[in-house]
Amino acid sequence: MIEEKIEELKRKIDDMTRGIKSSKSLAELKMAFFGKQGEISELMKGMRDVPKEKRPEVGKIINALRDWANERFDTLAETVKKIELEELYKAQKIDVTLPGRRREKGAFHPNTLVIRELVDIFSGMGFEVYEGPEIENDYYNFTALNTPKDHPARDMQDTFYITDDLLLRTQTSAGQIRVMENKKPPIKILSPGKVYRSDDDATHSPMFGQMEGLVVDKGITLCDLKGMLDEFARKIFGSSVKTRLRPSYFPFTEPSVEVDVSCFECGGKGCRLCKGTGWIEVLGAGMVNRRVLEGCGIDPDEYTGFAFGMGIERIAMLKYGINNMKLLFEGDVRFLKQFKD
Ligand code: DAH
């Protein structure tokens, strides 16, 4: 009777495991036979009804069945796993002959390119970079630069005030004072940074970049300024470019000059870029005003210096032939892509 049952079970297991293709259904099937309520377990429970003297014999038979079934499931599990792995590999196969997908490469913004080039040129001449704060107080941005309250030159720049005393710096010149207060000559610094003015049209933006330079030492003259500017202009605009100084006014320099470079587009003959004049204005400069030096505790009878300041966007526009300043602030990828090297 029990022997028959066992034979039947064997056949059943044989039949049911035959078509199995996944480890999951195989495991489920195994549970159905071996689990607590599984058929093999039921068979064990049936031992209770077997007469005592027959139990060892029947027990042996059931054990043999268990071993047989276990082995059967184990071998099957291995085969099924192999098949599954093969299928997985097939699905994950990489076709190395497919063309690659090109990744978009980023590029530097023209402003960054200009700043980097300027820093490179001037560090080659021994300048160190100093970066001042963008939120300044009135003293550093104006008063210490010889522009006290009510000075008419304050009107040259429309200022964003935060409080009566705090403001967004309108010029990187503010950094000159911070440097001179903290360092005794010789001083040779370059100060790039963002500045802010309440100004917004085709050639002005409420935020733009400036690059400031300051040299203070014994015996510095306007001649040194001119020589350095010549070198700078040749490096950034081309080896045949010349500079010229025109008298100007800034409260913190005396004398003050406006610096032009000979037009690198037409060589000075006159064209659209230089508006027919042959010259292009690029920066403001001058000899540091005695009063500014004095205010920073530097003796103007012992030391002299020159300073200069230029607009980053203006240099970028000239250098790359950009006709609208707004392009430099809009972040349009179609525009920016053109500066990839
Ligand atoms: N700070 C001036 C401006 O924003 C530019 C400038 C002119 C800076 C003359 C200087 C300088 O250092 O000497 O318009």
Side-chain angles (χ1 to χ4, degrees), residues 157 171 173 176 197 210 212 250 252-253 284-286 307-309:
Q157 302 166 358
Q171 47 190 354
S173 311
Q176 289 184 22
R197 294 181 198 179
Q210 277 193 338
E212 192 86 9
F250 299 103
F252 37 89
T253 42
F308 58 91

